[in-house]
Amino acid sequence: MPVTLTSLDDVKFTVDKDVAERSILIKNMIEDVGESDSPIPLPNVSSAVLKKVIEYCEHHRNDPVQVQDETDDPRKRSNDIEEWDMKFMAVDQEMLFEIILAANYLDIKPLLDVGCKTVANIIKGKTPEEIRKTFNIVNDFTPEEEAQIKKENEWAEDR
Amino acid sequence: MSNVHNPLLLAEVVLVVANYVNPKEAATPSRVCRTWYTVFRPLVWQTCDISDDRLRPGGKPLGQRRPRPKDMVKNAHNIRELICNGSSFSNFEITCSRLKTLRSHNVIYASRPQWWSQLTQLLVQNDQLETVDFDGTREASTLKFWEALVSRPALKYVRMNSVNMSAEHFAIFWNGCRGLRRMELYDINVPCTSEFIEEQLETLPGLEAITISHLAATALLRLCPGLRLFRWQNYDMGGNGQLQMLAFLLERQHFPHLESLQVTRVEDLELATCLGAMDRVKELVIEGSPLGLQSFDALERNFAKLQRISLEYVFPIPSKRILVLLESCPLLKYIRAPKLKASAIVLGKPWVCQDLEEFRVSILVGVSGKTTIRRGSQAVFERLSKLTRLTHLDIGFHYMQDDNSDSDDSDDSDGDILACQGLDLTLESGFSQLSTLKNLEELDFSYTVQDMSAEDVKWIRDNLKKLQVVKGICNRHGEYRDQPQN
């Protein structure tokens, strides 16, 4: 049973239901609305990004649904990104941000994870200023706060 | 165009990013902006080391900084693992109450009159403790301390070293640890008899792993029917009859879950008896004694199940015996052994250990000329290339000794062992076959003589993408690399 999704800029995408339901948001909307042909509006996602998201969901349509594990040991979490995902995430930063925002809004945890792993790999080894420049983040500390925090966490650098 | 705003300013997104950042690298991201500070700060303080004792085993490098005391108080609620030692108590006000792990060390047998009351205080403050790892002092432990320790409801793992305690205290400890899964007792002085153990101590059915170095092992083991791992660590020169008693026990009492045995300085027959009495052997660690013929035979029955084997400071041991492990143990994940000759590898059978993750064996290639070394290395690389799950490859000459252990090998044309070379890690010797080792994280060729070119080094960087640690000297010009690298 196909499902139609409408992007911010009014472009319609028809996808299989199981692909669309990789997004928990969409899954819940479908359950609430019941059987219906009417398209699902996604006013927060542009067509360019939605196209990418659908591509991801189609490739991963048969992946087992991840179970949230509260006792997950962070040190065991691998920063491995499989090859297809790596190629998929080889986009410019603007698109990277859009994908992360979309994954967050649409509640597609694996896609959010991949996007965030990508960010984690990028920030590795960078100074705070380099991280800010890379991601257009404004430094909202006062100079005193900044100095204070630097001193507070200094012991933990280069462990 | 959708509303472009920066997802990395949303705390919920930064939180997911932080999940994939090593806590040791959380300090820098915490300085980016206010949102990042809020998210990364708990990670920074998750493990806090306020010890300054550089002499303790595994002590941190000189000059390692400690937090400022006032910052530690401010962040006490974020600390889950605290590492401290004697002087920490006078330099810091330790207000932590959410610790899961406490590691509190001393210079062995130091005199610290306040130690036990300070430790007791810390225990009482923290009721989520799961791991407590501590050293004793010259002063005897106190009743209050043991009562505080066993009343930690979530306690799973206790490691103690150099502790003086009375038999009564030991009984309180032993009987009080209902939920304990692992126990390590190093150098514990308890004046108690086997009768005392039999009469006063209770069975601990939940205990899975125990390490003992001095106590009456046999009597205690009788109380641990659920044991999965037994580690006997005793470096006394005079040898010991403890394992003989263990063998005796294992023959009479069934330990259905026992599958891991770790021993130091044991006799072949004793070890063989222990191995023979176990239902299965998944892990065997031997330090300081040979893997004798009888033990080897007893181990052979377990080849199909063996997952980990470590033979350290173990002499003599012929190459063939080590090789057989690689050729016969399909589930092998970890192997550490003194040395292996390339000639034996070449003449041997294919290796069945497809899932091997850590290979730590010095490999000797013959001395008679560059061609032999190239050919020998080529053949060994071919074997190693099949181990696609390998994460750690250590072929360094960490502990070389001429021991004639290979004198019973039929092919002994390699001559004087001390003059043997290690593997030649160059492209000319077929090193590129290791391109299949996509998961390799560590490569160690310390103390081998290499003559690598820039091209060889570049090949490593380009092909072994997951490599993080490289140890060894690349060529005569002393290019020395020992670094965690990105």
Side-chain angles (χ1 to χ4, degrees), chain B residues 65-284:
Chain B
R65 291 166 288 204
R66 297 191 290 176
R68 296 185 301 182
K70 64 175 182 184
D71 291 329
M72 192 196 162
V73 171
K74 190 171 147 208
N75 285 285
H77 60 288
N78 285 321
I79 304 177
R80 297 286 171 274
E81 176 177 1
L82 181 68
I83 302 162
C84 64
N85 70 342
S87 61
S88 304
F89 290 104
S90 42
N91 296 334
F92 291 87
E93 190 194 343
I94 307 177
T95 55
C96 309
S97 61
R98 302 216 190 140
L99 294 182
K100 285 199 169 157
T101 300
L102 172 63
R103 301 190 194 280
S104 206
H105 299 292
N106 262 325
V107 174
I108 295 176
Y109 296 123
S111 171
R112 292 206 182 279
Q114 311 262 30
W115 181 249
W116 295 111
S117 64
Q118 284 162 340
L119 267 188
T120 306
Q121 174 61 33
L122 207 42
L123 290 178
V124 165
Q125 265 169 227
N126 288 277
D127 55 15
Q128 293 173 36
L129 277 170
E130 295 176 12
T131 297
V132 178
D133 166 9
F134 64 100
D135 296 337
T137 62
R138 206 175 288 166
E139 289 81 16
S141 52
T142 65
L143 178 63
K144 280 212 172 77
F145 170 79
W146 294 110
E147 287 176 341
L149 181 63
V150 303
S151 59
R152 300 307 91 203
L155 200 60
K156 298 229 170 10
Y157 170 32
V158 171
R159 178 190 184 279
M160 58 175 110
N161 182 29
S162 305
V163 176
N164 289 325
M165 59 168 120
S166 66
E168 179 200 31
H169 289 168
F170 189 73
I172 289 173
F173 165 68
W174 184 272
N175 294 337
C177 291
R178 307 308 303 172
L180 213 62
R181 294 264 172 279
R182 280 172 61 195
M183 190 190 292
E184 292 182 30
L185 310 172
Y186 295 99
D187 197 16
I188 307 300
N189 285 319
V190 181
C192 71
T193 59
S194 300
E195 286 78 31
F196 174 83
I197 291 176
E198 269 166 57
E199 286 159 27
Q200 301 291 334
L201 300 188
E202 294 165 18
T203 308
L204 293 183
L207 198 66
E208 294 172 4
I210 189 166
T211 300
I212 298 180
S213 66
H214 275 117
L215 283 180
T218 325
L220 284 178
L221 286 201
R222 261 197 215 110
L223 303 169
C224 312
L227 213 60
R228 190 188 52 79
L229 180 158
F230 174 63
R231 185 163 175 226
W232 170 250
Q233 185 157 58
N234 190 316
Y235 298 107
D236 285 348
M237 287 309 287
N240 53 81
Q242 285 293 350
L243 218 70
Q244 193 176 41
M245 298 210 287
L246 174 67
F248 189 79
L249 171 67
L250 288 183
E251 286 187 303
R252 279 150 192 75
Q253 180 171 336
H254 187 215
F255 288 85
H257 304 286
L258 188 61
E259 54 190 33
S260 171
L261 191 62
Q262 304 183 19
V263 295
T264 53
R265 297 182 178 269
V266 294
E267 298 291 328
D268 187 21
L269 181 57
E270 289 169 3
L271 179 58
T273 315
C274 291
L275 291 173
M278 288 166 68
D279 282 0
R280 75 203 79 80
V281 179
K282 285 195 183 167
E283 175 180 50
L284 177 62

